[in-house]
């Protein structure tokens, strides 16, 4: 408990970013984050547009992809504009409640992504382990309802954490050593002993991230067993390819998070502020950038759609193209 009386709460916070970064590199870093944001928004919006225009993609798996794309856009929009402004115009100031709101939304989208990845793993588990019952077990309506449920439930634990943060005594330091407001950075600015707060934040983070991960790992073990029992070699390759794509995203999402959250509790493991921030940027901002490209490049249906769109833009339909090739062969 904090026994601090007669203190003046800080009215605003300042996003520092990388504390050891020389000022001559500020503009370069601003451009990096700006391009990261543009690529994230454009890539994920493209995936959403393709899904909306092509009825052939309106299946449970693609509903989850769209949900993840919307979440990635939301996270990037919450997290990146202020750090871009900080490095371009030295405008890193955030009002107290604006920072608290950003902290809530950052952890909300982190929780949401964890739940969406769980729903994605559940979809693959049912599709591969119960292929004949899959059309009845997982319809578009069920998957849409499951994703809406994820978007609502993801507010619970970040909401509890946010309410707890608002009553903590912030009586002096106001520099956020991070690229956005998060629970760890805010707790570091609390006046008094914060060991209990760190423990609570760590426990909540582990529960939100690794309870879904436990179910995801269990589902993938079942999937691998089912794949190994498949008679068709082509079927095995296709199933493993799908799982490898999602496994890559899961590894980027979960492993660095565990490293950052656990580092303060390991006595001989010391992370500099810049290394901690760089790791956070890696696991927070890399997946939203690469997710649409991984899914577009690894999904044959989406590649086929892009190929047909490209042919239409060039004024060549598949039929015309085959006629041209046939005419060339005759001559």
């Amino acid at each position: 408990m904090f026994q601090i009386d007669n203190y003046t709460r800080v009215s605003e916070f300042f996003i520092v970013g990388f504390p050891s970064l020389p000022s001559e590199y500020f503009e370069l870093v601003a451009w990096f984050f700006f391009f990261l944001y543009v690529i994230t928004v454009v890539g994920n919006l493209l995936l959403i547009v393709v899904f909306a225009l092509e009825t052939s993609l309106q299946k449970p798996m693609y509903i989850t992809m769209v949900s993840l794309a919307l979440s990635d856009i939301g996270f990037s929009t919450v997290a990146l504009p202020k750090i871009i402004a900080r490095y371009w115009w030295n405008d890193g100031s955030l009002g107290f409640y604006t920072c608290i709101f950003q902290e809530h939304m950052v952890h909300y989208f982190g929780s949401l992504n964890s739940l969406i990845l769980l729903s994605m793993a559940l979809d693959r588990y049912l599709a591969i382990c119960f292929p004949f019952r899959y059309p009845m077990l997982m319809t578009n309506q069920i998957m849409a309802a499951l994703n809406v449920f994820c978007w609502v439930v993801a507010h619970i634990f970040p909401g509890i954490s946010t309410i707890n943060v608002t009553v903590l005594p912030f009586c002096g330091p106001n520099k956020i050593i991070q690229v956005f407001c998060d629970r760890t950075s805010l707790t570091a600015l609390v006046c008094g002993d914060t060991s209990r707060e760190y423990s609570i934040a760590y426990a909540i983070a582990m529960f939100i991230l690794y309870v879904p991960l436990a179910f995801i790992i269990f589902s993938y073990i079942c999937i691998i067993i089912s794949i190994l029992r498949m008679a068709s070699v082509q079927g095995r390759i296709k199933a493993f390819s799908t799982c490898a794509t999602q496994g890559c995203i899961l590894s980027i999402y979960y492993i660095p998070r565990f490293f950052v959250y656990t580092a303060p509790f390991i006595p001989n493991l010391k992370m500099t502020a810049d290394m901690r921030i760089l790791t956070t940027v890696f696991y927070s901002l890399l997946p939203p950038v690469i997710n649409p490209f991984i899914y577009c490049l690894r999904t044959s249906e989406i590649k086929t759609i892009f190929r047909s769109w490209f042919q239409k833009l060039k004024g060549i339909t598949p039929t015309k193209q085959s006629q041209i090739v046939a005419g060339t062969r005759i001559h």
Side-chain angles (χ1 to χ4, degrees):
M1 296 294 293
F2 294 93
Q3 301 291 336
I4 298 177
D5 300 318
N6 300 322
Y7 72 92
T8 302
R9 173 183 278 180
V10 297
S11 60
E12 66 176 20
F13 294 100
F14 186 85
I15 302 292
V16 174
F18 296 95
S20 302
L21 184 70
S23 58
E24 57 264 28
Y25 295 110
F26 279 15
E27 188 172 352
L28 181 63
V29 173
W31 277 109
F32 169 75
F33 282 121
F34 175 75
F35 281 121
L36 205 65
Y37 179 63
V38 171
I39 293 170
T40 299
V41 172
V42 172
N44 284 284
L45 277 178
L46 182 61
L47 190 62
I48 294 168
V49 169
V50 171
F51 174 82
L53 295 179
E54 296 292 335
T55 55
S56 62
L57 295 182
Q58 292 173 12
K59 303 173 184 177
M61 182 177 71
Y62 296 106
I63 291 173
T64 311
M65 286 185 187
V66 169
S67 183
L68 186 62
L70 289 170
S71 177
D72 287 341
I73 292 172
F75 177 82
S76 299
T77 301
V78 166
L80 284 175
K82 178 50 68 172
I83 191 62
I84 293 171
R86 186 268 181 273
Y87 281 124
W88 254 337
W89 305 294
N90 199 32
D91 179 17
S93 297
L94 279 173
F96 181 86
Y97 288 105
T98 304
C99 185
I100 297 297
F101 174 75
Q102 188 186 52
E103 178 266 344
H104 172 77
M105 295 307 294
V106 162
H107 293 296
Y108 164 70
F109 282 116
S111 303
L112 176 60
N113 279 10
S114 188
L115 293 174
I116 291 173
L117 291 173
L118 173 60
S119 66
M120 190 178 293
L122 175 63
D123 177 70
R124 292 298 85 203
Y125 167 72
L126 293 175
I128 294 174
C129 297
F130 303 96
F132 297 109
R133 297 174 60 190
Y134 174 75
M136 294 179 291
L137 293 172
M138 186 60 73
T139 63
N140 286 353
Q141 291 76 17
I142 292 174
M143 180 56 79
L146 182 60
N147 277 272
V148 170
F149 178 77
C150 291
W151 280 77
V152 174
V153 169
H155 273 295
I156 294 175
F157 283 104
I160 295 170
S161 177
T162 300
I163 292 170
N164 186 38
V165 168
T166 58
V167 299
L168 295 177
F170 295 94
C171 56
N174 71 334
K175 292 185 177 180
I176 303 289
I177 311 299
Q178 186 53 273
V179 293
F180 45 68
C181 295
D182 67 349
R183 179 62 191 269
T184 303
S185 301
L186 283 171
T187 303
L189 302 180
V190 172
C191 301
D193 182 17
T194 58
S195 57
R196 179 174 174 271
E197 298 304 314
Y198 275 117
S199 299
I200 293 172
Y202 178 76
I204 291 174
M206 292 301 100
F207 181 83
I208 292 172
L209 292 173
Y210 293 104
V211 169
L213 180 61
F215 286 101
I216 291 171
I217 291 173
F218 171 76
S219 69
Y220 274 87
I221 291 172
C222 295
I223 287 171
I224 291 171
I225 292 172
S226 296
I227 291 173
L228 294 175
R229 290 175 179 172
M230 288 181 179
S232 169
V233 176
Q234 187 176 0
R236 288 184 187 180
I237 294 172
K238 184 178 179 180
F240 267 124
S241 176
T242 302
C243 293
T245 301
Q246 297 179 4
C248 176
I249 293 171
L250 289 170
S251 299
I252 294 172
Y253 183 80
Y254 283 105
I255 294 175
R257 269 182 168 83
F258 178 78
F259 182 72
V260 170
Y261 291 154
T262 308
F265 298 93
I266 302 175
N268 297 325
L269 182 60
K270 301 294 181 183
M271 289 185 71
T272 64
D274 289 305
M275 180 58 68
R276 179 173 58 84
I277 294 168
L278 189 62
T279 308
T280 303
V281 168
F282 175 79
Y283 72 66
S284 298
L285 300 175
L286 181 62
V289 172
I290 66 173
N291 281 347
F293 297 100
I294 287 177
Y295 287 125
C296 289
L297 293 174
R298 302 277 297 184
T299 308
S300 57
E301 289 176 286
I302 296 179
K303 286 193 291 186
T304 302
I305 288 169
F306 279 134
R307 194 177 297 114
S308 66
W309 283 9
F310 181 72
Q311 289 172 349
K312 288 177 182 177
L313 286 173
K314 292 179 66 177
I316 302 176
T317 62
T319 305
K320 286 182 179 179
Q321 191 177 30
S322 61
Q323 290 175 350
I324 292 170
V325 172
T328 304
R329 287 177 180 172
I330 292 172
H331 291 292

